[in-house]
Amino acid sequence: MGRLFMVNINPSWHEHLSAEFAKPYFTQLTEAVREEYRRGPCYPPGKLIFNAFDLCPFDRVKVVIIGQDPYHEPGQAMGLSFSVPEGTMMPPSLVNIFKEIASDLGKEMPTSGDLTRWANQGVLLLNATLTVRAHEANSHQKLGWDTFTDATIHALSTHRQHLVYMLWGGYARSKRYLINQQQNLVLESVHPSPLSANRGGWFGQHQFSRCNEYLRQHGEGEIEW
């Protein structure tokens, strides 16, 4: 697979996804991503491509939040959907996420957009596409990442139950067919970006309290959002 793809893949995930690594598409994906990173700036840094997997082992996942692709401007992408590093200005979608949490759970707006603390509690912050070319949104969408991340969702749905899947926006909602909806909770809404959220369907959905209630009902600890 090469060094780029040997960094920070938690062994628990390798156990469930090893078949994907052996498939021709993954070899082609590896080569394509290596070439993109050679040609010019891409995000996140190579060591963080699998950060979501590294921080949230397979058997500790409680919640899955599906994003589309990484932030494409310098200093933003960190391998976790919607998250930005400490000290980085929060993107509008993340601001709206925190506004809804504040309204739903009565919490104060945080000063940091680093969601590592969520990942450490069992929130898999999964972008459907794990890399992107600088300044070009969705530029790596056709490289084959979708096949790999769909396999990730399918593996979770097959081998785990009583998880909460948060599907925000049309793209994430298109992944619902991969999920066993009888054995898991699927929460759907519009995307938290201002373009969608301000039209209605994001604020007031109480997704975060509903998530915690479901986890409680199934003997799991709540997420400290």
Side-chain angles (χ1 to χ4, degrees), residues 120-180:
N120 288 335
Q121 296 178 75
V123 181
L124 180 66
L125 295 161
L126 180 68
N127 278 318
T129 300
L130 298 186
T131 59
V132 69
R133 194 180 304 144
H135 316 301
E136 297 183 42
N138 300 317
S139 50
H140 288 181
Q141 193 172 32
K142 296 181 179 180
L143 295 185
W145 279 125
D146 259 322
T147 304
F148 176 74
T149 52
D150 281 359
T152 299
I153 298 166
H154 183 261
L156 282 167
S157 184
T158 301
H159 299 288
R160 297 287 314 281
Q161 59 182 355
H162 306 319
L163 305 186
V164 180
Y165 293 82
M166 293 183 165
L167 309 182
W168 301 336
Y171 187 82
R173 294 167 83 170
S174 73
K175 306 293 184 179
R176 73 170 74 85
Y177 78 97
L178 297 164
I179 303 164
N180 184 329

Side-chain angles (χ1 to χ4, degrees), residues 33-107:
V33 172
R34 281 204 199 104
E35 181 59 26
E36 285 286 314
Y37 274 71
R38 276 196 294 264
R39 285 182 179 178
C42 293
Y43 305 118
K47 66 181 180 179
L48 295 178
I49 290 174
F50 289 96
N51 196 26
F53 298 82
D54 185 51
L55 293 176
C56 191
F58 185 90
D59 56 357
R60 289 187 52 221
V61 176
K62 296 179 180 180
V63 181
V64 181
I65 298 178
I66 300 173
Q68 191 158 345
D69 74 334
Y71 297 122
H72 53 269
E73 295 302 325
Q76 292 184 315
M78 54 184 297
L80 304 174
S81 61
F82 296 100
S83 181
V84 292
E86 183 82 29
T88 302
M89 182 180 294
M90 291 187 217
S93 293
L94 186 53
V95 171
N96 281 342
I97 290 169
F98 284 139
K99 283 181 178 178
E100 176 59 12
I101 290 171
S103 173
D104 188 13
L105 300 174
K107 291 182 173 291

